[in-house]
Amino acid sequence: MDETHLIEAARDASSRAYAPYSNFRVGAALLTANGEIHVGCNVENASYGLSMCAERAAVFAMSANATDEDDRKVLLVAVVSPDAAPCLPCGACRQVLREFGCEEVVVEESSGIRRYPFGELLPHAFGPEAL
Ligand code: THU
């Protein structure tokens, strides 16, 4: 999979962010082991704590469309914000991505596209295998 394609899908999703309170738009696009791409954007709420991040929205879209294990296995997730570079996933999103075996995260940095091994972003993680 061409990572630039995933970055472009995340950028496109960020254009649909609903972020009237923070004015911080985020888009995420994830690639599953079955080759599907699912996207999400942040969706805020007047009751601020109910807002949802782009990455988790993408994971939930993936899960809602999954019929087998590979449909829920995340190989790579791209995160893009037109309001910050790089835009790395927050801690809550890292934990949710961890649940589905996310292997890598790709973001845009001032020097270009950078891929992070997931273990660098959430080392020594708690996951489903612990239960
Ligand atoms: N946000 C995301 O969508 N993903 C992240 O990983 C970081 C933060 C959103 C949440 C909120 O709508 C806005 O960015 C500012 O925090």
Side-chain angles (χ1 to χ4, degrees):
M1 144 67 51
D2 180 4
E3 64 193 10
T4 58
H5 180 64
L6 212 57
I7 287 271
E8 283 315 311
R11 194 190 320 286
D12 183 54
S14 76
S15 72
R16 295 185 290 281
Y18 176 73
Y21 305 108
S22 70
N23 290 312
F24 190 88
R25 298 159 292 175
V26 186
L30 62 79
L31 173 69
T32 71
N34 269 346
E36 298 292 324
I37 291 176
H38 299 281
V39 301
C41 61
N42 55 330
V43 179
E44 298 184 347
N45 193 276
S47 177
Y48 297 166
L50 301 183
S51 300
M52 181 49 62
C53 291
E55 299 90 323
R56 275 177 286 164
V59 167
F60 299 155
M62 171 191 77
S63 219
N65 284 285
T67 55
D68 67 30
E69 205 178 309
D70 280 352
D71 285 333
R72 268 196 202 89
K73 162 73 183 164
V74 181
L75 297 181
L76 177 64
V77 58
V79 186
V80 171
S81 171
D83 304 309
C87 181
L88 283 154
C90 78
C93 289
R94 292 178 196 201
Q95 180 65 33
V96 169
L97 287 163
R98 171 66 174 74
E99 182 77 17
F100 298 103
C102 183
E103 293 180 2
E104 282 183 290
V105 175
V106 62
V107 295
E108 287 185 311
E109 302 197 338
S110 49
S111 51
I113 287 174
R114 178 161 170 194
R115 278 169 96 126
Y116 288 87
F118 197 78
E120 269 183 29
L121 300 181
L122 193 66
H124 313 294
F126 182 78
E129 68 285 350
L131 298 176

